[in-house]
Amino acid sequence: MSPTYDVIVIGLGGMGSAAAHHLSARGARVLGLERFGPVHNRGSSHGGSRITRQSYFEDPAYVPLLLRSYELYEELERATGREIATLCGGVMIGRPDSRTVSGSLLSAERWDLPHEMLDAPEIRRRFPTLSPDDDEVALYEARAGFVRPENTVAAHLQLATRQGADLHFEEPMTRWEPYRDGVRVHTAENTYTAGRLVICPGAWAPRLLTDLGVPFTIERQVMYWFQPKGGVGPFLPGDHPIYIWEDAAGVQAYGFPAIDGPELGAKVAFFRKGAVTTPETIDRTVHQDEIQAMADHMSRHVPDLPGAFLKAATCMYSNTPDEHFVIARHPAHPQTVTVACGFSGHGFKFVPVVGEILADLALTGATDHPIGLFDPHRLAAAPARGVRT
């Protein structure tokens, strides 16, 4: 039998790597188990960039967590010397009554967040790369920007290792069970015991958390990189913001400045416009009709962007029916098991604070952070969400 740990963390992607760091920083003896290698691209914590923002259209309840996450970004950068967050400014664009605009404004006003409201002529003047319709407006947030997912995961793993965590890669959990006052975790290589278990399964939640009572839906997503017509000059950070753009039909697309130079151009994607899949059956090939659909959509909003297609990559959203997270002690095992899952395509910006919350829950059973919105009991009777089109 392997040594007894204080906490075993299952999954070392975004949330799990942060949990391993925060737990080990508090002196816990931590074992982390990951089915792939470190900082892999088989789940959701990859792709070079993720948007971060505070004027949160999903729900004002997220804002306190975002404010703490921003603090933790800075701490992570200082501790590791890695580039984590770049606040280049961002615009949430759409008609005034769109969820993207009205929800962002609600959060900004409720939490007194600095912001500006821009009409269409002002959007065009400030950001000539963008071409809004006359009836569209934008909320501009100077403290929006992007985070580096691979750097963030690598930084948390670096700190966890430095603090004594035992991290095992290419060693997935096969099953776990209650054992004495804690848990016993089995892999193909070994059996481990611990007082507590933290499960951060990502897209593997439907398989690993069948007893949670949450109808997860796993959705294939595609990220695209285009070379702007005429080069990346107007698309560099400082001139071109991150953006989320909701059109009249309710379709949301999002994009970034050219943050990696001319070789990778600028990244864009649809937000929630993918097919239901599983981690085992996901189509990793990006097809020509998908590339053309993305280019056609962006040509109406950012006319100079869809020049030469450079590359694409797939990832997965792990959706809950209401698109809010699940972060809680496991209802069936509240003394020993903590879960973090169902981040529904908007979770990565919360990685540092979720790690802090998971350490709180695993070690003390409670957290001062506001996580009532993420109780899995709300979803026990909810149907799984199908394909969004």
Side-chain angles (χ1 to χ4, degrees):
M1 182 74 66
S2 293
T4 298
Y5 294 90
D6 295 320
V7 187
I8 297 175
V9 178
I10 304 301
L12 293 173
M15 307 306 174
S17 64
H21 158 51
H22 283 282
L23 285 161
S24 57
R26 300 184 193 186
R29 295 168 295 168
V30 175
L31 170 66
L33 297 174
E34 166 59 50
R35 68 176 53 245
F36 300 112
V39 198
H40 63 83
N41 65 355
R42 309 306 292 172
S44 303
S45 300
H46 64 279
S49 57
R50 291 289 186 275
I51 284 176
T52 191
R53 51 196 165 91
Q54 295 180 350
S55 300
Y56 216 60
F57 64 76
E58 287 83 351
D59 196 298
Y62 286 90
V63 174
L65 300 178
L66 287 162
L67 297 176
R68 177 57 178 158
S69 204
Y70 272 51
E71 294 174 348
L72 292 170
Y73 291 150
E74 295 180 2
E75 292 182 13
L76 196 59
E77 287 182 328
R78 287 194 300 268
T80 65
R82 297 177 184 267
E83 176 194 345
I84 303 296
T86 300
L87 304 184
C88 60
V91 284
M92 314 303 135
I93 306 177
R95 293 180 174 177
D97 61 350
S98 67
R99 184 190 183 200
T100 302
V101 173
S102 64
S104 298
L105 182 59
L106 175 64
S107 284
E109 292 181 338
R110 184 166 298 181
W111 291 99
D112 197 25
L113 301 173
H115 67 282
E116 301 175 62
M117 294 303 301
L118 312 179
D119 61 15
E122 183 64 7
I123 297 170
R124 299 185 197 112
R125 186 188 72 80
R126 296 265 293 268
F127 307 111
T129 51
L130 308 181
S131 183
D133 292 338
D134 289 341
D135 62 349
E136 291 182 314
V137 299
L139 181 143
Y140 173 73
E141 180 185 334
R143 288 185 59 76
F146 60 90
V147 295
R148 298 285 196 175
E150 290 89 347
N151 282 4
T152 303
V153 174
H156 281 134
L157 295 176
Q158 175 186 340
L159 293 180
T161 300
R162 183 188 302 173
Q163 291 151 187
D166 191 3
L167 307 181
H168 293 193
F169 298 96
E170 309 288 348
E171 188 178 350
M173 177 184 73
T174 56
R175 63 187 176 91
W176 72 272
E177 62 206 9
Y179 179 73
R180 296 178 180 171
D181 294 330
V183 297
R184 184 160 55 188
V185 171
H186 301 270
T187 74
E189 288 79 16
N190 216 327
T191 298
Y192 307 95
T193 60
R196 300 290 182 267
L197 180 64
V198 174
I199 304 178
C200 302
W204 286 261
R207 189 193 334 159
L208 296 181
L209 292 172
T210 55
D211 60 344
L212 191 60
V214 175
F216 298 104
T217 302
I218 307 307
E219 191 172 317
R220 174 183 177 269
Q221 298 293 328
V222 182
M223 302 170 281
Y224 305 83
W225 285 259
F226 290 94
Q227 180 66 259
K229 301 171 186 175
V232 300
F235 287 82
L236 294 173
D239 295 319
H240 182 79
I242 64 94
Y243 55 92
I244 300 176
W245 202 317
E246 182 176 343
D247 67 14
V251 175
Q252 291 172 306
Y254 65 92
F256 298 81
I259 62 177
D260 292 308
E263 294 79 10
L264 284 182
K267 174 184 163 185
V268 295
F270 288 114
F271 189 39
R272 309 193 187 287
K273 199 171 185 286
V276 172
T277 189
T278 71
E280 295 77 22
T281 63
I282 183 173
D283 182 1
R284 297 282 181 181
T285 300
V286 179
H287 303 278
Q288 184 58 45
D289 62 330
E290 295 178 298
I291 298 168
Q292 190 61 54
M294 187 82 255
D296 290 346
H297 185 88
M298 295 312 302
S299 67
R300 298 193 293 272
H301 303 293
V302 191
D304 289 336
L305 176 58
F309 168 72
L310 297 176
K311 72 168 188 173
T314 59
C315 69
M316 291 176 283
Y317 286 2
S318 304
N319 296 316
T320 63
D322 62 6
E323 297 171 359
H324 295 309
F325 309 157
V326 172
I327 307 173
R329 304 299 293 270
H330 194 300
H333 312 278
Q335 302 305 313
T336 54
V337 182
T338 303
V339 297
C341 50
F343 289 95
S344 301
H346 62 111
F348 196 89
K349 62 186 71 64
F350 297 89
V351 157
V353 71
V354 170
E356 191 170 66
I357 291 167
L358 293 175
D360 290 342
L361 295 177
L363 297 178
T364 71
T367 182
D368 290 335
H369 290 294
I371 61 169
L373 182 61
F374 311 137
D375 189 327
H377 285 103
R378 76 186 194 278
L379 299 170
R385 184 171 63 80
V387 181
R388 288 272 300 248
T389 59

